[in-house]
């Protein structure tokens, strides 16, 4: 596609429910990142996928958070038993990973609200 | 670990005037990159400007320029001739030299809300 696509754009859920957030990276981009942005704060790194290598999960805040990516395509971020503190914008970014420094292309994020 | 600090939560500037946003960072890395990103209400992250730490010359992109002081670990953004469309949240970000394991992870500051007034 033309850019990084994320769905849904907005998600409202009840505390304790599970949610799945989807990211469609730019075709051909081998690297994919998930970030969380709490209200009025900067972006926090969650997880990084590079091709078929084991993902870097060092930013996941708890075992309620998990993410998958099939090859170099779509990724899903799953939050189980959501809590109110999970309310945030979840941003996905991708990059081609062909050089020392890469421009990250961001999606417009999913606004998650946990009631 | 790297940290990025933006000490100005909010700034205002009159249209056509100049404004400077501050950023400091802490790292023990010798090779790294610094960025300014703009985030309008659409939530889209837009790269404004970037600076390679090994370059002494400050980066410029049209109305945007940086003052990079490596020894002081300071990286401020100057916006000249401010326009209403510059109203957004601005994030300073750090990236250490890429490895396959680390990728191009960005470490962000908390952001500065910039309001351009007519």
């Amino acid at each position: 596609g033309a850019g990084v696509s994320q769905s849904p754009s907005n998600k409202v859920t009840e505390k304790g429910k599970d949610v799945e957030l989807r990211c469609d990276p730019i075709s051909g981009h081998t690297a994919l990142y998930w970030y969380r942005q709490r209200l009025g704060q900067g972006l926090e790194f969650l997880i990084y996928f590079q091709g078929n290598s084991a993902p870097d999960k060092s930013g996941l805040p708890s075992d309620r958070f998990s993410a998958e990516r099939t090859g170099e395509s779509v990724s899903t971020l799953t939050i189980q038993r959501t809590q109110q503190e999970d309310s945030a914008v979840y941003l996905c970014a991708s990059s081609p990973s062909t050089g020392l420094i890469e421009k990250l292309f961001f999606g417009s994020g999913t606004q998650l609200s946990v009631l | 670990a790297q940290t990025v600090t933006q000490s100005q939560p909010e700034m205002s500037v009159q249209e056509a005037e100049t404004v400077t946003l501050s950023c400091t960072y802490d790292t023990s890395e010798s090779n790294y990159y610094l960025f300014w990103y703009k985030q309008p209400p659409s939530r889209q992250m837009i790269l404004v400007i970037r600076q390679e730490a090994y370059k002494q010359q400050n980066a410029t992109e049209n109305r945007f320029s940086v003052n990079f002081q490596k020894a002081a670990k300071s990286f401020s953004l100057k916006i000249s001739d401010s326009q209403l469309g510059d109203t957004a949240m601005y994030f300073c970000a750090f990236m250490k030299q890429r490895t396959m394991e680390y990728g191009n992870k960005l470490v962000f500051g908390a952001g500065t809300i910039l309001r351009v007034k007519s």
Side-chain angles (χ1 to χ4, degrees), chain B residues 25-50:
Chain B
Y25 60 94
D26 191 23
T27 185
S28 58
E29 301 285 330
S30 54
N31 296 318
Y32 55 88
Y33 310 90
L34 296 162
F35 303 81
W36 280 97
Y37 278 86
K38 170 185 176 181
Q39 186 183 44
S42 67
R43 302 197 303 243
Q44 188 74 43
M45 295 290 284
I46 301 166
L47 178 62
V48 174
I49 198 166
R50 81 179 192 197

Side-chain angles (χ1 to χ4, degrees), chain A residues 41-53:
Chain A
Q41 298 185 22
L43 283 68
E44 305 169 78
F45 167 75
L46 295 177
I47 189 167
Y48 156 59
F49 294 91
Q50 173 59 55
N52 293 315
S53 302

Side-chain angles (χ1 to χ4, degrees), chain A residues 2 8-9 20-21 24 35 39 50 59 76 79 84 88 98 108 113-114:
Chain A
S9 179
E20 271 193 6
L21 312 180
D24 235 307
Y35 285 86
L39 184 64
Q50 173 59 55
T76 55
I79 308 173
Q84 289 183 333
T98 55
S108 294
S113 300
V114 182

